[in-house]
Amino acid sequence: MEKLWPCLLVLMNLPGAFLQIASHPTDLDRNAFVFPKESENSYVILFPQLQKPMKAFTVCLQVYTDLTRPHSLFSYATKSQSNEILLFKERPGLFSVSVGGSDAFIKFPEMFYTPQHFCVTWESITGLTELWVDGKPMVRASLRRGYTVGSGASIVLGQEQDSFGGGFDKNQSLVGDIEDVNMWDFVLSPSQIRTLYTTGALSPNVLNWRNLLYETRGEVFLKKELWR
């Protein structure tokens, strides 16, 4: 019989830093990663179920923060391109999406003191990039038509990677909660995105919050969510 090893907590010799490893995929339903303070060494590493070049993707996640400064939500870096995919809030009401090092800036209605659900889609054939906020589409943009997103990625929550797996800046770090992080290697339909926002009943094939392999670094805590 295959043994399922428990999560391990490994204390490191760095002041105030520790590492938590989920040694097998974990169902994180109704849990959130909590980033309690500004830091250059607190983040979460995600290990995808699928590693291959992508001609399209959808990334969805839910965030709860009162930050007004720029901060990174989701960073997908390859060894050749640190901003292969980057989801970043520039300021209240302005979201940036990066694909292959090119950026699109999309306005959205900011809501303070309540969580917001974001989905970003992109497809190579047209370059069309869409941001969905709480199940509603924002104005479309265009990025890197004909591009292929590389594989072998380092995927990080809560920090922007300026180099593969590192190059963090505490002034771009997330302070708040993040949950329901899911990723597909295709573009979800509008009805699927609305269903995901209302019920969460879809099966991702790249990152699956209900079957997630991850590591936390620094002061990041896995806690029950506050709002359901």
Side-chain angles (χ1 to χ4, degrees):
M1 179 182 296
E2 183 182 0
K3 294 182 179 179
L4 295 180
W5 297 100
C7 294
L8 302 177
L9 183 67
V10 182
L11 297 179
M12 302 172 66
N13 292 325
L14 298 174
F18 58 86
L19 166 67
Q20 183 177 354
I21 304 173
S23 57
H24 59 84
T26 304
D27 184 351
L28 298 184
D29 186 40
R30 297 187 181 276
N31 287 274
F33 289 120
V34 181
F35 300 78
K37 66 179 185 179
E38 188 175 273
S39 170
E40 71 278 352
N41 58 17
S42 296
Y43 55 99
V44 180
I45 303 170
L46 305 182
F47 299 94
Q49 300 174 145
L50 182 67
Q51 279 272 23
K52 69 171 190 176
M54 294 185 290
K55 289 287 190 179
F57 67 79
T58 302
V59 178
C60 297
L61 45 81
Q62 184 156 281
V63 182
Y64 186 37
T65 183
D66 62 359
L67 286 177
T68 57
R69 63 161 172 77
H71 56 281
S72 177
L73 302 177
F74 179 96
S75 175
Y76 177 114
T78 62
K79 291 183 178 179
S80 61
Q81 176 53 255
S82 59
N83 287 344
E84 191 77 309
I85 303 172
L86 178 65
L87 310 186
F88 195 92
K89 284 181 71 178
E90 300 286 341
R91 62 175 185 267
L94 184 63
F95 201 100
S96 67
V97 179
S98 301
V99 176
S102 296
D103 307 320
F105 299 91
I106 304 171
K107 295 179 181 179
F108 71 98
E110 182 77 45
M111 299 288 289
F112 287 103
Y113 309 113
T114 186
Q116 287 196 286
H117 185 265
F118 299 101
C119 283
V120 172
T121 70
W122 172 83
E123 61 178 10
S124 176
I125 192 169
T126 63
L128 284 178
T129 304
E130 290 190 70
L131 171 66
W132 291 71
V133 181
D134 295 337
K136 298 177 181 178
M138 304 297 107
V139 175
R140 294 169 176 163
S142 181
L143 278 175
R144 297 302 303 265
R145 183 178 181 183
Y147 187 71
T148 300
V149 171
S151 59
S154 168
I155 304 176
V156 167
L157 302 179
Q159 300 278 359
E160 179 183 354
Q161 300 175 82
D162 287 332
S163 59
F164 185 79
F168 304 135
D169 180 350
K170 70 178 182 179
N171 296 315
Q172 296 176 330
S173 64
L174 173 66
V175 180
D177 297 6
I178 190 167
E179 68 161 305
D180 290 338
V181 182
N182 295 290
M183 185 175 185
W184 296 256
D185 67 342
F186 56 89
V187 172
L188 293 183
S189 69
S191 62
Q192 287 175 315
I193 291 175
R194 294 187 187 102
T195 297
L196 183 68
Y197 172 61
T198 55
T199 70
L202 292 174
S203 297
N205 66 340
V206 179
L207 294 170
N208 186 346
W209 190 251
R210 300 292 303 269
N211 190 43
L212 191 67
L213 188 61
Y214 68 90
E215 293 179 7
T216 65
R217 302 289 179 93
E219 293 189 54
V220 181
F221 306 99
L222 185 63
K223 296 293 184 182
K224 290 294 182 182
E225 64 183 9
L226 294 174
W227 42 83
R228 277 194 293 187

